[in-house]
Structure formats: C-alpha cells, structure tokens
Amino acid sequence: MKKSLIILFTILGVIFNAQLIKTKRGIVSLEGIHVAKVSNKGSIYTFMDLKETPIYTIEFIDKSVVDSVRDSYIKLNRIYNQEKTLDLDYISPSAFSGDEKSAVYTCIKGLKIIDERGINVKNLDDLFKDIPKRKLDTKTKEAYTTKTKIDKLNITVNNVGEILSNGIPVGYFTNLPVSFGSEDTVSDKTFVDIEIYDAKSKFIGKYITTTKQIKTAGGKSFTLFREMSGRASILKFPTYKAIAERMAIMDPNFIKIQEKVIVGEVVKDGVQK
C-alpha cells in the first residue's frame, strides 16, 4: 500500500510540475502564454519572436554513417551570427512526435532557449560558447570510427574493376558482369561470387550476391545493407566501392595507409609532413 502511494504521488508530481507546451498555427505557447513563433521549409524550422523577427533555425539531419547505421540530430544556426553551426542531440515528447513538436520541445526542455518570456538570446549565445557534447551510443561511435578509417583510405574503383587507395592500385575484383561500371551497384543475384584480390594477386575475400555477405579469406563475414526502419531507407544493394571499403576494414592487411618518402620527407594520406 505504501509503495503504491509513493508511485501515485510521484506520477501526480510529474503531471502538476510539467510545463504545458503547445504549438498551434505556428505559435508556440507555454502555460497558455504565447512565447515564440515557428515556421518551416522542408526539414528547416525557423524560430521567431512574437514580432516575427527570425532569431535562429533548427535543421533535422538524418544520414547514413556506414552500412546500416544512421545518425539523427539537429543543426542549430543563429540568423544574426552565422559564423558557427552546432550539431546537437534533440529530444521528443513522445515516440510519435513530428519534427515540429520535437524542435519546440528541444528548445524549451533540452536547450532552454525558449522560456516564459520568449526566446532567450543569452542562453542561445551561451550554447555557442560552451557547446554541449553529443551523447552517441556505442554503435554510432563505432560507425564513425569506421568511417574515419575508410575516409583516410580514400578508396576508388576504376572502370576495369581495379581498386585504388589514394590513387595507388591495391587490388582488383574478378567475376565482374559484362556490363560492369565502377559506379554500379551489385544487384544481380548470380551464383558466381565476386572475388577480391590484392595487388600481388593474393585472394582477400569475396562478396556473395545471393546473401549480400562479404567473407574474408580468414573466415570473417559481414552482411551489407540490412533492412531497417526509421526516418529514411537505405540502399538495397552495395556499390563495388562499398564492398572494397568493408573488406579493407575486415582485413587491415589488405589496404594500409600509403606512405612515400620524397626527398627525406614523408607524404602520408596525400599530405606532406
């Protein structure tokens, strides 16, 4: 009985202390008082004072980091000082809230840049002085680490199936279709696996078109482009470049950051040190 009363009073306390936030016809109200206005064009929401003077914008971003991992966040930009844009996490009042409700809720509850007196410009400016750190989950952090490694390798595939890293040949594909193009996606479910070899013709691994799996010569396997739910869908089929990139991550010995010595100086990743 005592435990039930504690839970009841806790719930009532949350209800009575919660701020009433409403957005109707572009007018943001807090406890029944109009405090700001908002309009949108696509995924960009412009917040204005009650005189309709634009103060800042919030843009919703949803992007693929690597493979099936996506990252959703907002970009905050001041209209009166656009020297810097902030990438920030956002919060929503419920799992079914749209972008407008999430933007308003984040401004009031998360960032504290709208209060009962309107848009708090001081708090807005303070965000740009002391930038909040994003709270990425482990999966997203690992995806960004992988992407950084991939970007450094700067992998490309030419029109004959040769794999290059920073412009240097490091391997090649075999069993390519007759109509192969370097920018093509691997969409044909053939019974012939697409194989990858390094520049010395050593077998590195293969891509199985029927299962969308990459398998290394050492036995590691990875399924590319799994189906997922969310704000946006992802490609059903990978590009040859994506296959080479994932193989490079799975087998670090396949492609290493190229170094050249030029007149006693080291050139790494195309940048002279």
Side-chain angles (χ1 to χ4, degrees), residues 48-91:
M48 304 164 279
D49 60 20
L50 293 176
K51 294 180 180 179
E52 298 190 358
T53 303
I55 308 297
Y56 65 91
T57 61
I58 281 181
E59 180 181 4
F60 283 84
I61 305 294
D62 180 75
K63 68 179 184 181
S64 174
V65 183
V66 66
D67 305 322
S68 60
V69 179
R70 302 192 71 83
D71 187 17
S72 297
Y73 57 95
I74 57 172
K75 280 186 176 291
L76 177 65
N77 193 13
R78 294 172 294 186
I79 290 174
Y80 56 88
N81 184 353
Q82 299 187 13
E83 291 181 3
K84 189 188 297 183
T85 301
L86 303 185
D87 292 347
L88 304 169
D89 293 322
Y90 66 90
I91 54 177

Side-chain angles (χ1 to χ4, degrees), residues 20-30 34-39 45 47 99-105 108 114:
L20 183 61
I21 301 169
K22 282 190 176 181
T23 306
K24 188 175 181 181
R25 295 177 183 174
I27 299 175
V28 180
S29 300
L30 191 56
H34 297 341
V35 291
K37 291 188 176 183
V38 60
S39 66
Y45 289 79
F47 284 82
D99 285 351
E100 183 180 79
K101 283 187 177 180
S102 295
V104 171
Y105 195 79
I108 295 172
I114 295 180

Side-chain angles (χ1 to χ4, degrees), residues 6-19:
I6 292 172
I7 294 172
L8 176 62
F9 284 120
T10 300
I11 294 172
L12 289 174
V14 171
I15 293 172
F16 287 120
N17 288 311
Q19 290 177 303

